[in-house]
Coordinates of all heavy atoms in Angstrom, one line a residue:
Y12 N 3.0 5.8 1.4 CA 1.7 5.9 2.1 C 1.4 4.5 2.6 O 1.3 3.6 1.9 CB 0.6 6.3 1.1 CG -0.8 6.3 1.7 CD1 -1.2 7.1 2.8 CD2 -1.7 5.3 1.3 CE1 -2.4 7.0 3.3 CE2 -3.0 5.2 1.9 CZ -3.3 6.1 2.9 OH -4.6 6.0 3.5
F13 N 1.3 4.4 4.0 CA 1.0 3.2 4.7 C -0.5 3.1 5.0 O -1.1 4.0 5.5 CB 1.8 3.1 6.0 CG 3.3 3.1 5.8 CD1 4.0 4.3 6.0 CD2 4.0 1.9 5.5 CE1 5.4 4.3 5.9 CE2 5.3 1.9 5.4 CZ 6.0 3.1 5.6
A14 N -1.1 1.9 4.7 CA -2.5 1.6 5.0 C -2.6 0.2 5.5 O -1.7 -0.6 5.3 CB -3.3 1.9 3.7
G15 N -3.8 -0.1 6.0 CA -4.1 -1.5 6.4 C -5.5 -1.8 5.9 O -5.7 -1.8 4.7
E16 N -6.4 -2.2 6.8 CA -7.8 -2.5 6.5 C -8.1 -3.8 5.8 O -9.0 -4.5 6.2 CB -8.4 -1.3 5.7 CG -9.8 -1.6 5.1 CD -10.9 -1.8 6.1 OE1 -10.7 -1.7 7.3 OE2 -12.1 -2.1 5.7
V17 N -7.3 -4.2 4.8 CA -7.7 -5.3 3.9 C -7.1 -6.6 4.3 O -7.3 -7.6 3.7 CB -7.5 -4.9 2.5 CG1 -8.4 -3.8 2.0 CG2 -6.0 -4.5 2.3
H18 N -6.2 -6.6 5.3 CA -5.6 -7.9 5.9 C -4.8 -8.6 4.8 O -4.8 -9.9 4.8 CB -6.7 -8.8 6.4 CG -7.6 -8.1 7.4 ND1 -8.9 -8.6 7.7 CD2 -7.5 -6.9 8.1 CE1 -9.5 -7.8 8.6 NE2 -8.7 -6.7 8.8
A19 N -4.2 -7.9 3.9 CA -3.3 -8.5 2.9 C -2.2 -7.5 2.5 O -2.4 -6.3 2.8 CB -4.1 -9.0 1.7
N20 N -1.2 -8.0 1.9 CA -0.1 -7.2 1.5 C -0.2 -6.8 0.0 O -0.3 -7.7 -0.9 CB 1.3 -7.9 1.7 CG 1.5 -8.3 3.1 OD1 1.4 -7.4 4.0 ND2 1.8 -9.6 3.4
T21 N -0.1 -5.5 -0.3 CA -0.1 -5.0 -1.7 C 0.8 -3.8 -1.8 O 0.6 -2.9 -1.0 CB -1.5 -4.7 -2.2 OG1 -2.4 -5.7 -2.0 CG2 -1.4 -4.4 -3.7
V22 N 1.8 -3.8 -2.7 CA 2.6 -2.6 -2.9 C 2.3 -2.1 -4.3 O 2.4 -2.9 -5.3 CB 4.1 -3.0 -2.8 CG1 4.9 -1.7 -3.1 CG2 4.4 -3.5 -1.4
T23 N 2.0 -0.8 -4.4 CA 1.6 -0.2 -5.7 C 2.4 1.1 -5.8 O 2.4 1.9 -4.9 CB 0.1 0.0 -5.8 OG1 -0.6 -1.1 -5.3 CG2 -0.3 0.3 -7.2
K24 N 2.9 1.3 -7.0 CA 3.6 2.6 -7.3 C 2.6 3.5 -8.0 O 1.8 3.1 -8.9 CB 4.8 2.4 -8.2 CG 5.6 3.6 -8.6 CD 6.7 3.3 -9.5 CE 7.5 4.6 -9.9 NZ 6.6 5.5 -10.7
D25 N 2.5 4.7 -7.6 CA 1.7 5.7 -8.2 C 2.0 5.9 -9.7 O 3.2 5.8 -10.0 CB 1.9 7.1 -7.5 CG 1.1 8.2 -8.1 OD1 -0.2 8.0 -8.3 OD2 1.6 9.3 -8.4
S26 N 1.0 6.1 -10.5 CA 1.2 6.1 -11.9 C 2.0 7.3 -12.4 O 2.5 7.3 -13.5 CB -0.1 6.0 -12.7 OG -0.9 7.2 -12.3
E27 N 2.0 8.4 -11.6 CA 2.6 9.7 -12.0 C 3.8 10.1 -11.1 O 4.2 11.3 -11.3 CB 1.5 10.7 -12.1 CG 0.4 10.4 -13.1 CD -0.6 11.5 -13.2 OE1 -0.3 12.7 -12.8 OE2 -1.7 11.2 -13.6
S28 N 4.2 9.3 -10.2 CA 5.3 9.8 -9.3 C 6.0 8.5 -8.7 O 5.6 7.4 -9.0 CB 4.8 10.7 -8.2 OG 4.0 9.9 -7.3
D29 N 6.9 8.8 -7.8 CA 7.6 7.7 -7.1 C 6.9 7.3 -5.8 O 7.4 6.6 -5.0 CB 9.1 8.1 -6.8 CG 9.9 8.1 -8.1 OD1 9.6 7.3 -9.0 OD2 10.8 8.9 -8.2
L30 N 5.7 7.9 -5.5 CA 5.0 7.6 -4.3 C 4.5 6.1 -4.3 O 4.0 5.6 -5.3 CB 3.8 8.5 -4.3 CG 2.7 8.3 -3.2 CD1 3.3 8.3 -1.8 CD2 1.6 9.3 -3.3
I31 N 4.8 5.5 -3.2 CA 4.5 4.1 -3.0 C 3.3 3.9 -2.1 O 3.3 4.5 -1.0 CB 5.7 3.3 -2.5 CG1 6.8 3.2 -3.6 CG2 5.3 1.9 -2.0 CD1 6.4 2.3 -4.8
Q32 N 2.3 3.1 -2.4 CA 1.3 2.7 -1.4 C 1.7 1.3 -0.9 O 1.8 0.4 -1.7 CB -0.1 2.7 -2.1 CG -1.2 2.1 -1.2 CD -2.6 2.1 -1.8 OE1 -3.3 3.1 -1.8 NE2 -3.0 1.0 -2.4
L33 N 1.9 1.2 0.4 CA 2.2 0.0 1.0 C 1.1 -0.4 1.9 O 0.9 0.1 3.0 CB 3.5 0.1 1.8 CG 4.3 -1.2 2.1 CD1 5.7 -0.9 2.6 CD2 3.5 -2.1 3.1
V34 N 0.2 -1.3 1.5 CA -0.9 -1.9 2.3 C -0.4 -3.2 2.9 O 0.1 -4.1 2.1 CB -2.1 -2.1 1.4 CG1 -3.3 -2.5 2.3 CG2 -2.5 -0.8 0.7
S35 N -0.5 -3.3 4.2 CA 0.0 -4.5 4.8 C -0.9 -5.2 5.8 O -2.0 -4.6 6.2 CB 1.4 -4.2 5.5 OG 1.2 -3.2 6.5
R36 N -0.5 -6.3 6.3 CA -1.3 -7.0 7.3 C -0.4 -7.3 8.5 O 0.8 -7.5 8.4 CB -1.9 -8.3 6.7 CG -1.0 -9.5 6.7 CD -1.7 -10.7 6.0 NE -2.0 -11.8 6.9 CZ -3.3 -12.2 7.1 NH1 -4.3 -11.7 6.4 NH2 -3.5 -13.2 8.0
G37 N -1.1 -7.4 9.7 CA -0.3 -7.7 10.9 C -1.2 -8.5 11.9 O -0.9 -8.6 13.0
N38 N -2.3 -9.1 11.3 CA -3.3 -9.7 12.1 C -2.7 -10.7 13.1 O -2.0 -11.7 12.8 CB -4.3 -10.5 11.3 CG -4.9 -9.6 10.2 OD1 -4.2 -8.9 9.4 ND2 -6.2 -9.5 10.2

């Protein structure tokens, strides 16, 4: 799952699956 909004990079793995949240910046 790709997201933005926060202007910083954070990668988090879902607690119950292999789903990854990848929040990134490109400012």
Side-chain angles (χ1 to χ4, degrees):
Y12 172 68
F13 296 99
E16 167 64 4
V17 292
H18 310 163
N20 301 307
T21 308
V22 177
T23 316
K24 181 181 177 297
D25 178 50
S26 61
E27 298 182 21
S28 71
D29 290 327
L30 171 57
I31 290 292
Q32 173 177 277
L33 199 170
V34 183
S35 61
R36 82 184 251 121
N38 304 57

